[in-house]
Amino acid sequence: MRSPVRSLMNVIVMALVATLVIGGTAQAATWSSSDKWASWSNNGYTVRNNVWGGGAGPQSIWANSSGNFGVWANHPNTGGVKSYPHAAKNIGRQLSGLRSLSSSFNVSRPGSGAYATAYDIWANNNAYEIMLWMNKQGAVGAIGSKQTTVSVGGHTWDVYRGSNGANAVFSFLRTSNTNAGSVDVLAVMNWIKNRGWYGDVTVGEVQFGFEITSSSGGMNFTTNSYSVSSS
């Protein structure tokens, strides 16, 4: 039986999460939801709550646009990724047919918990997953083993290669944390191709958000801006 106290608390949390303070004036977000699979399309992007991991706690998402969104998440201090709230833009083009593919971002994030602020880029119908970790906090780590350290796409990364059992995973962990910047995604993807790790793949979604393992007590994760451009 559902607890009436817990139900009331969830309602209160949603009301708080869906209200942003802008210039000292409380304004409701354009869209919000506490459904773990909630999604919202805006300006050619899709924003998703994406609470997919086992043992997850409550998480509520809000968005004013595809580039300005965030979540309040209260995931227990246990191992394993609980969620990946993100915004995604589908590219749908072959690597060799792209002249440019880049992205910029700006986030506000908690100083505790365990998570990574990361791009998740998919290729060849999700056969390949390329993760670009822009920052990390707490006990989190990449899949596979470290291959090298490289400067490409405007950043210096520790590069890991492995598999999650369903697809190959290439993880680029920035050697120092940053909360804002831009990245040449095409340069990174071509670097992987030049290593012989995949061929002339078709680029699918470019996703950006927070891969959250724990946020006990409730924490706010905010994307202040995010955009993807390609030609």
Side-chain angles (χ1 to χ4, degrees):
M1 182 176 180
R2 191 176 186 186
S3 165
V5 174
R6 181 172 295 178
S7 298
L8 177 60
M9 288 179 67
N10 287 340
V11 170
I12 293 170
V13 166
M14 270 304 302
L16 291 172
V17 169
T19 301
L20 308 178
V21 179
I22 304 173
T25 303
Q27 298 183 357
T30 301
W31 171 77
S32 62
S33 178
S34 58
D35 186 289
K36 67 179 184 177
W37 301 117
S39 67
W40 180 65
S41 296
N42 174 259
N43 195 33
Y45 295 75
T46 303
V47 181
R48 302 183 181 105
N49 202 23
N50 197 28
V51 183
W52 63 268
Q59 178 175 296
S60 300
I61 191 168
W62 58 265
N64 288 313
S65 67
S66 57
N68 177 215
F69 65 93
V71 296
W72 175 88
N74 185 4
H75 299 302
N77 186 23
T78 55
V81 176
K82 308 301 190 303
S83 67
Y84 179 58
H86 65 268
K89 185 171 186 179
N90 187 57
I91 304 302
R93 294 175 62 183
Q94 209 165 358
L95 200 56
S96 61
L98 286 165
R99 291 179 298 168
S100 67
L101 176 58
S102 61
S103 179
S104 62
F105 68 95
N106 182 295
V107 300
S108 300
R109 61 189 181 94
S112 58
Y115 62 87
T117 301
Y119 286 89
D120 210 0
I121 303 156
W122 298 90
N124 272 21
N125 197 28
N126 298 348
Y128 299 102
E129 180 180 9
I130 301 96
M131 297 200 72
L132 310 179
W133 293 31
M134 308 314 298
N135 61 56
K136 59 185 182 294
Q137 168 71 39
V140 293
I143 289 173
S145 58
K146 183 179 176 181
Q147 305 294 303
T148 188
T149 299
V150 65
S151 293
V152 64
H155 306 268
T156 300
W157 323 86
D158 291 329
V159 183
Y160 290 76
R161 182 186 185 190
S163 172
N164 61 17
N167 51 261
V169 183
F170 309 112
S171 299
F172 291 69
L173 279 59
R174 201 175 188 276
T175 55
S176 61
N177 285 340
T178 185
N179 294 327
S182 60
V183 59
D184 185 341
V185 176
L186 183 59
V188 173
M189 296 194 71
N190 277 328
W191 182 88
I192 298 171
K193 178 178 177 291
N194 292 336
R195 297 276 293 199
W197 293 349
Y198 56 46
D200 190 15
V201 295
T202 298
V203 183
E205 285 194 343
V206 175
Q207 304 173 349
F208 176 80
F210 304 95
E211 190 176 67
I212 308 171
T213 294
S214 67
S215 54
S216 183
M219 299 179 186
N220 289 299
F221 301 79
T222 303
T223 298
N224 302 307
S225 63
Y226 164 63
S227 63
V228 177
S229 61
S230 62
S231 63

